[in-house]
Amino acid sequence: MSNKHDPEALAIEDEKHQLDVPIVVDAHTEEYQEYLNLCEDFRGEREQKLNRKIDWHILPPLMLIYMMTYVDRSNVGNARLFGAQKDLGMSGTDWNIGLSLLFVTFAVGAPFTAALGKKYTTRFKLPLLLAACGGTILAAGCSNNKAAWYAFRLILGFVESGKFIAYVLSTWYSSNIFTTRYSWFYFGATISGAVSGLLAYGIAQLDYHWGYRGWRWIYVLEGFVSIILAILLCFVMPGTPEASHKWVTPEEQRFILLRGKYTYGTDKSGNSSEFKLKEYLSAWTSPHFLVPAFSMFSFAVGIFAFSFTLPTIIASMGFTAAAAQGLSAPPYVAATFAVWISGWASDRYKKRVLMVVVPAFVAVVGLAMMWFSVGKPKLVGLCYTGCMLAAMGFYPLSPTHTSILALNNAGQSKRSAAMGGLLVFTQVGGVLGSNIYLSSQAPYYPVGFGVSAGLIIFGNLIVMTGYWFYVGAVNKKRAAMTEEEIRARYTSDELEAMGDKSPLYIYSR
């Protein structure tokens, strides 16, 4: 079949040329005619200028919020090295239970905050959540027993579940640049591992200062910084595209709203921006949510286990606790570059599933190197290289999975449900990942490395390869019908109501 009649080839061409050839939807609707006219006005440099304007106003505050909430979450591994477990009278099992509790309340809260994220503005909501995270972390630094520690972990998980940022990005950016922008934004999460390690290294120099252990200083000071930043962000945090903004003209605002409606999935039928409960619930039975979400779960087990255990693994190489904090930063720096390259390649070549398979393979190689060399003094270099590769493989997977969900779930209600549901699967993975690196198996961790590698291989290599073939078969079946035949059978309203089930919708793979 030639590219002229191949829907996937046409979809890729439309994305590559940033809608230089507008997609035909329904030439008789006023709204779509308005969209076509705006496409003419926003060709080439003008659209790129608009995207850069959005970048400067949207990405920095979102990146900062994501980075600080991840710092607040990931510093638990650093706190353990500086006496938190001992001071709170916790066994290794108790500690793992504490790690898991955050993911339980996060998973419970995520679907509800996903629905609320569609209905309420983010301008004050996200800074408020950051302040709540900072306050919870600060209070956790004052804990004196296991019960208080568990309570604050539960609260932190519920508060963080409202950090529904991927959906916010999908409302501002078109499908052809979503993955790149989400990767840029995800730098905040990736670099937070380095920031957390370096901050912990510096703050931990206060160990036993005024009679307090280093872990308390880490929590109290990082929590205080989060609260201050949250207050400042209230003055610069933008709202939704529907709200008025001084830096966006009415014409630009209208174009942003319409391209979000008509470009995802090169959607020739458009998709609704209204919140619809039926559409929201339909995501939970869609293979275009369930398959990528399972793949996300399988990698989440490994990435959370990795981030929680990395300082301990580095310390087992023979380094002091303080040195292990500093040495935990370079793997995250390397991961930041891997995230950028993966996001760029995904949008440049439109090979979404390939950008899951390649990083997943790198992560498996890194885990294998760590598993083989950990605890062997003569193989410290090999083990540390494995840490670098594992981080470079793990971290690009989250933006890619998120972009697949955004591109293959049409209608903003269904898309918000899919992204909220993705958080549920991720947190369930976090619960399992918190309990596979057993202190009784240190420093070799056969269960931790084995489970992490096995799930990555099955969920991200095997399952996602199968999804690639499945999506190809669906697209081929839809290509068998001409647009004229489809429009003769369905009205424009019916096609819009179908969302990504519309025969005019082309899935990304």
Side-chain angles (χ1 to χ4, degrees), residues 162-493:
K163 188 182 71 236
F164 195 52
I165 295 178
Y167 169 74
V168 176
L169 291 177
S170 73
T171 64
W172 283 99
Y173 292 107
S174 62
S175 61
N176 61 307
I177 60 172
F178 174 83
T179 308
T180 300
R181 266 46 177 195
Y182 189 77
S183 297
W184 293 359
F185 149 75
Y186 196 68
F187 286 173
T190 309
I191 204 66
S192 68
V195 171
S196 179
L198 294 175
L199 281 177
Y201 175 77
I203 296 173
Q205 305 307 310
L206 297 172
D207 198 16
Y208 290 110
H209 193 69
W210 291 352
Y212 296 108
R213 288 301 312 269
W215 74 272
R216 295 191 185 276
W217 287 109
I218 291 171
Y219 268 54
V220 170
L221 292 180
E222 289 185 1
F224 178 74
V225 169
S226 294
I227 294 172
I228 297 301
L229 287 175
I231 294 172
L232 297 176
L233 284 169
C234 288
F235 298 97
V236 298
M237 186 73 202
T240 61
E242 290 85 357
S244 59
H245 302 278
K246 294 181 179 179
W247 50 274
V248 177
T249 67
E251 185 184 28
E252 290 172 336
Q253 182 184 30
R254 185 62 176 163
F255 177 65
I256 292 169
L257 292 171
L258 291 180
R259 75 175 180 180
K261 181 173 183 177
Y262 289 107
T263 64
Y264 279 79
T266 61
D267 190 3
K268 297 184 178 183
S269 51
N271 58 85
S272 175
S273 61
E274 299 177 3
F275 179 79
K276 299 177 181 178
L277 181 60
K278 182 178 180 181
E279 184 179 301
Y280 180 87
L281 296 175
S282 69
W284 291 88
T285 58
S286 170
H288 304 289
F289 160 63
L290 294 174
V291 174
F294 172 76
S295 182
M296 186 77 167
F297 156 79
S298 66
F299 116 83
V301 173
I303 194 172
F304 283 119
F306 175 82
S307 63
F308 288 149
T309 315
L310 182 61
T312 302
I313 290 176
I314 294 177
S316 73
M317 298 178 192
F319 298 103
T320 64
Q325 304 284 1
L327 288 171
S328 66
Y332 293 105
V333 175
T336 301
F337 288 100
V339 169
W340 178 82
I341 293 171
S342 176
W344 172 84
S346 180
D347 276 343
R348 175 67 176 80
Y349 299 106
K350 314 303 176 190
K351 304 297 184 183
R352 313 297 181 182
V353 174
L354 182 63
M355 290 301 104
V356 170
V357 171
V358 172
F361 179 78
V362 173
V364 170
V365 171
L367 288 171
M369 292 171 64
M370 294 169 65
W371 194 356
F372 174 75
S373 58
V374 69
K376 299 177 181 178
K378 294 183 179 180
L379 297 177
V380 169
L382 181 64
C383 187
Y384 193 72
T385 301
C387 294
M388 300 280 284
L389 289 176
M392 293 172 67
F394 276 132
Y395 279 90
L397 292 174
S398 181
T400 307
H401 282 304
T402 304
S403 71
I404 290 174
L405 286 178
L407 295 171
N408 287 354
N409 288 274
Q412 291 191 18
S413 296
K414 184 177 181 181
R415 189 175 300 132
S416 67
M419 292 184 179
L422 186 67
L423 295 178
V424 174
F425 277 75
T426 303
Q427 306 318 307
V428 173
V431 172
L432 180 57
S434 302
N435 293 279
I436 58 175
Y437 282 82
L438 307 175
S439 58
S440 60
Q441 296 183 339
Y444 305 106
Y445 302 113
V447 172
F449 287 120
V451 171
S452 296
L455 283 174
I456 284 284
I457 292 170
F458 179 69
N460 288 265
L461 297 181
I462 298 175
V463 170
M464 287 307 291
T465 299
Y467 180 71
W468 185 86
F469 284 107
Y470 168 73
V471 168
V474 173
N475 287 344
K476 183 177 180 180
K477 183 177 179 180
R478 292 180 177 181
M481 294 182 67
T482 67
E483 185 172 341
E484 290 74 17
E485 291 174 330
I486 294 170
R487 293 196 177 280
R489 183 178 300 181
Y490 304 102
T491 66
S492 296
D493 289 341

